[in-house]
Amino acid sequence: MLSRCLPSLLFAATLATLGCHAQTPALTGTTVKPGTPLSLEESRRVEVLLRQKANLPPMSTIHISVPASSEVPGFSTISITFESDGKASRPITFLVSNDGATLAQLTKYTLPVKPREMLSSAGRPARGGTEAAPVIIVGFDDLECPYCARLHESIFPLLTQRYGDKVRFVYKDFPLEQHPWAMHAALDVNCVAEQSTPGYWNMVDYVHAHASEMGADPKDPKAEKTLPRATEQLDALAHEQAKAQKLDDAKLTACIKTNDTRSIAESQKLGTSLGIEATPSLFINGDKVDGAVPVEFIFQVIDDALRAEGVTPPAPYVEPKPAAPATPAAAPAAKAPSGR
C-alpha cells in the first residue's frame, strides 16, 4: 500500500536535499532541456537511483514530469510522483542538471529583513522598553504550566534589572488542553489587562508563583483539587487587582462573564503556526528558545540580539553566589562556681 511506502518517499526527499549528485557519469550527448521530456534512458537513470536509495516497493510506479526552467543555473526542475495500489503521493520537486549527471533538491527560505519584527508585541501588556526597544521578546505562556512558572521565576525581575528599556517583554496566550484551568486563567488576566498593565503583571506573577495551590480547598489541604474551585480563586484574584488598581469592577465582571476566548484562540493559532507544541517558548528577536532553560543562556541570546542591533550589551552575567550561612554566635563562657 502507498501508506507503507511514504517513509521511503520522505527518505527520497531527504536524500535529494543532501545532494544526490554525480551518482553516475553524464551520458555522451545528454542534454536536459526545459519543455522537452526526458529520454527513456534519462528517465531510467533517475528511476533506478530513486529505487536504490529510497527502497521503494517493487510494484510502485514512478512518474517523471517534463523538465521546466529553474532558478538555479545549469539545472531544470522535474516533478516526481510515486504511485502504489492506485494511490499517488504528493509531487516532489527535484533539480536535474542539464548534463543529466546530477539529481538534487533545493529548499529555499526567505530571510527576514528585521528579525525583531518577526513577531509583534503590539496590543499586549509589556515589561521593559517601548515597541521601539532593540530587542523584542515574545513568550508563549500557559499559566498552569509548571515549567512556565519556573522560567518566569528565573527571569523576573532579573530581566528588567539587567536590560531596562533595551528589552520589551510580552506574553501571548498558549493554554494547553491538558491543563484544566489554564484557559480561564488566560481569560482573567486578559480582562484585567484591558484596564491595567500593572494589574495584569501582578496577577501573572502571583498565578505563576502559586499555580500548585489553585483548586485546593484552604480549609481541607487533603481535599482533591477541583476546576470550579480554581476558577473561583482565579476570579477572586482578578477582583483583588481591580480593587488594588482602582479599576472598574463592573466592567471586569462583564468581561469575565462574557467568556470571550477568541483572542486566546488566535494566539494559540499563531503559536501552532510557529511550530509550538509545548510551553514555555520564547522568541527573542525571532530566535526561538524552548523550555525552562537557564537564565544565563537566555541572557546570551539577548546579548547576541543586542549586538546585531548595534547595541552594546551589559557586562557578562554572573550568577550571584548564595549567601554564606550565618556564623552561630559564640556560647557565653561558663562561670566558675563560687567558692562558698
Side-chain angles (χ1 to χ4, degrees):
M1 294 178 61
L2 185 63
S3 60
R4 295 181 60 186
C5 72
L6 286 179
S8 297
L9 305 187
L10 294 176
F11 177 73
T14 302
L15 171 72
T17 302
L18 295 176
C20 308
H21 54 275
Q23 298 295 329
T24 55
L27 297 179
T28 304
T30 294
T31 304
V32 176
K33 296 181 179 180
T36 302
L38 296 181
S39 68
L40 292 178
E41 188 171 15
E42 291 164 346
S43 297
R44 180 62 178 165
R45 296 173 72 214
V46 171
E47 181 174 343
V48 167
L49 172 65
L50 292 178
R51 288 190 183 279
Q52 179 188 57
K53 298 296 183 181
N55 193 28
L56 297 175
M59 299 302 292
S60 62
T61 303
I62 297 177
H63 301 282
I64 304 174
S65 72
V66 175
S69 299
S70 80
E71 299 177 358
V72 181
F75 284 81
S76 299
T77 63
I78 55 174
S79 180
I80 297 178
T81 305
F82 302 87
E83 185 176 349
S84 181
D85 293 337
K87 296 181 180 179
S89 71
R90 64 175 179 82
I92 300 175
T93 301
F94 288 85
L95 292 170
V96 58
S97 62
N98 293 340
D99 63 2
T102 303
L103 186 67
Q105 191 174 39
L106 174 67
T107 301
K108 185 173 71 172
Y109 299 97
T110 300
L111 291 171
V113 177
K114 293 184 177 181
R116 70 176 294 281
E117 296 178 1
M118 290 176 63
L119 276 174
S120 173
S121 65
R124 296 297 297 169
R127 273 178 166 165
T130 67
E131 291 184 37
V135 173
I136 303 293
I137 303 177
V138 177
F140 285 82
D141 188 52
D142 176 320
L143 286 163
E144 193 175 348
C145 166
Y147 301 103
C148 296
R150 186 184 307 168
L151 177 67
H152 185 88
E153 180 185 16
S154 70
I155 62 178
F156 291 116
L158 287 177
L159 186 73
T160 48
Q161 289 174 350
R162 177 173 168 81
Y163 296 104
D165 61 2
K166 293 184 177 66
V167 169
R168 179 178 176 84
F169 187 100
V170 302
Y171 273 137
K172 290 185 182 290
D173 304 306
F174 202 82
L176 301 172
E177 290 184 4
Q178 63 263 37
H179 293 154
W181 54 261
M183 176 63 81
H184 192 81
L187 174 69
D188 275 352
V189 296
N190 286 341
C191 285
V192 171
E194 287 185 3
Q195 300 187 59
S196 171
T197 291
Y200 167 88
W201 283 109
N202 287 345
M203 188 167 174
V204 167
D205 290 340
Y206 186 91
V207 173
H208 269 316
H210 298 85
S212 62
E213 302 167 17
M214 294 298 162
D217 185 348
K219 297 179 181 178
D220 183 5
K222 296 182 180 180
E224 184 178 353
K225 295 177 182 178
T226 68
L227 177 58
R229 195 180 293 123
T231 299
E232 181 181 345
Q233 291 164 347
L234 289 164
D235 290 348
L237 290 172
H239 288 293
E240 285 178 14
Q241 283 305 310
K243 183 177 181 180
Q245 303 296 327
K246 297 181 173 55
L247 310 183
D248 184 334
D249 193 72
K251 182 178 178 180
L252 175 67
T253 299
C255 178
I256 294 173
K257 286 186 176 180
T258 300
N259 196 32
D260 186 352
T261 59
R262 286 176 296 179
S263 64
I264 300 172
E266 284 298 315
S267 181
Q268 291 173 308
K269 182 178 179 181
L270 173 62
T272 300
S273 72
L274 295 169
I276 295 175
E277 297 179 348
T279 54
S281 286
L282 300 180
F283 288 83
I284 302 173
N285 274 12
D287 193 356
K288 186 180 179 185
V289 177
D290 286 322
V293 297
V295 69
E296 296 92 335
F297 176 77
I298 293 175
F299 287 170
Q300 288 175 14
V301 178
I302 295 173
D303 290 351
D304 288 343
L306 284 171
R307 293 187 189 97
E309 293 293 322
V311 178
T312 302
Y317 175 75
V318 178
E319 184 178 5
K321 294 182 179 180
T327 304
K335 293 183 178 180
S338 61
R340 293 185 183 182

